[in-house]
Amino acid sequence: MRKCMFIAASAAFLASTPLHAATTATATMNLISKDGTGQSIGTVTIRETSQGIVLEPDLKGLPPGPRGFHVHQNPNCGPGQNNGQTAAGFAAGGHLDPASSGKHLGPQGAGHLGDLPALVVNASGIANQPVAAPRLTLKDVQGRALMIHEGGDNYSDEPKPLGGGAGRIACGIVK
């Protein structure tokens, strides 16, 4: 139910917000694994508006379904250590959380600033539906990693940590 509310809120935000072409950034997204960065799967264009940012994905080759989608702290998509094992994308660090909230409360909540609405991937593996992040500015995301997770995201640490997003499958640096 919460996902539907976020999707509906994103659609209403997008319909009522003018885009300003001079305030954009782009992230080229690549598949990632514990061995490093792989092939490009497309781009995400980020536009600043008077009410936050809009992320416009143009991606292909992803598993169908909702995917956890976040801004991560470090501008590095390489592998890193997670519980003593090498894991995909862990050089990106955790979700952007400059206030050190330590909470996973979704894009509208007062937790991690890097929490974004779920990325919707259609049955053909294509993600092209824009998402809105009203708490973020372009300055907040530039020079950071944009991460796509293996699982969906319920914006809670129950029943699984970090909303159940699980492994990191694609990443790009916002430039």
Side-chain angles (χ1 to χ4, degrees):
M1 185 70 170
R2 287 177 68 171
K3 282 184 196 173
C4 291
M5 289 183 349
F6 285 121
I7 291 171
S10 290
F13 173 82
L14 292 170
S16 66
T17 305
L19 300 179
H20 305 285
T23 53
T24 63
T26 304
T28 298
M29 303 297 290
N30 295 287
L31 294 176
I32 57 174
S33 73
K34 67 178 184 163
D35 298 320
T37 302
Q39 74 180 43
S40 173
I41 58 168
T43 60
V44 176
T45 300
I46 303 157
R47 300 185 189 282
E48 187 154 17
T49 73
S50 61
Q51 297 177 12
I53 62 171
V54 175
L55 297 97
E56 300 171 334
D58 183 10
L59 306 170
K60 61 182 177 182
L62 289 165
R67 302 278 149 235
F69 194 35
H70 306 100
V71 178
H72 282 244
Q73 184 67 37
N74 304 324
N76 189 336
C77 292
Q81 292 296 303
N82 179 33
N83 296 322
Q85 295 185 5
T86 302
F90 267 79
H95 296 178
L96 179 62
D97 189 16
S100 299
S101 72
K103 296 180 181 177
H104 188 67
L105 300 173
Q108 304 286 338
H112 298 157
L113 192 59
D115 287 349
L116 299 173
L119 181 71
V120 177
V121 181
N122 71 21
S124 298
I126 295 170
N128 58 13
Q129 293 182 13
V131 298
R135 295 177 39 209
L136 287 167
T137 67
L138 203 54
K139 182 178 176 183
D140 293 327
V141 300
Q142 285 181 309
R144 308 250 184 223
L146 192 57
M147 190 72 64
I148 300 171
H149 291 264
E150 177 181 357
D153 192 338
N154 70 0
Y155 309 114
S156 171
D157 285 323
E158 298 294 330
K160 294 183 180 179
L162 297 175
R168 301 169 184 199
I169 61 171
C171 181
I173 307 303
V174 179
K175 297 182 180 183

